[in-house]
Amino acid sequence: PSIELTKAWSTHEWLHYLRGIKTITASDMAQLNSHLHLNDNKNREIQFEWYKMGINNDYKPAINLVNPFLLEVGRGKFVTPLYLALIATGKKELAIEIYQATNAHYHPVVQARLKTIFQNI
């Protein structure tokens, strides 16, 4: 879709669109970002989906935004899946590095969940 078409999209429409993309490469993500500026989106729900997609498809510009996102956002529904995606895609060292820098900022429930995850990797 074009940027003009998507300007009126609600968060729900964006999420439906992003979640509907089943196969995409890092190159495809770069092209999509050049048209839709998803790396610059300020909506946390959309950022989460885009960054998770970036992790899963090794799209480095989105992966580079995961650290600041995880430092600013502490909601378990965002935090846990992103760490799990990093670990599952072989980015364990990056996950540990971000975890060590951000964990103290999280709610104790999220800290406990992450502690369990990182003790088992």
Side-chain angles (χ1 to χ4, degrees):
S2 70
I3 190 72
E4 294 303 317
L5 174 68
T6 60
K7 279 184 180 180
W9 280 9
S10 67
T11 300
H12 178 73
E13 289 168 312
W14 273 109
L15 295 177
H16 180 74
Y17 174 73
L18 291 173
R19 290 172 183 161
I21 299 172
K22 300 299 179 198
T23 304
I24 192 167
T25 65
S27 176
D28 295 334
M29 288 188 71
Q31 185 175 12
L32 193 60
N33 183 59
S34 73
H35 293 295
L36 301 177
H37 311 288
L38 288 159
N39 284 350
D40 302 323
N41 195 293
K42 300 302 180 205
N43 181 294
R44 297 300 191 192
E45 296 281 346
I46 296 167
Q47 287 175 326
F48 166 73
E49 289 297 329
W50 182 246
Y51 300 160
K52 187 171 63 167
M53 187 184 291
I55 292 167
N56 290 332
N57 295 286
D58 204 31
Y59 177 56
K60 296 200 184 337
I63 294 170
N64 292 338
L65 297 169
V66 170
N67 189 348
F69 179 80
L70 289 173
L71 185 58
E72 296 170 7
V73 175
R75 295 192 67 191
K77 76 178 212 169
F78 297 140
V79 171
T80 304
L82 288 178
Y83 280 113
L84 290 173
L86 286 167
I87 293 165
T89 58
K91 299 169 188 72
K92 179 177 141 184
E93 291 79 22
L94 178 59
I96 291 169
E97 177 184 320
I98 295 171
Y99 168 72
Q100 290 173 341
T102 60
N103 189 51
H105 300 283
Y106 298 142
H107 186 278
V109 172
V110 175
Q111 286 180 354
R113 188 177 311 140
L114 292 176
K115 182 178 180 182
T116 301
I117 291 169
F118 282 94
Q119 284 176 337
N120 294 320
I121 62 170

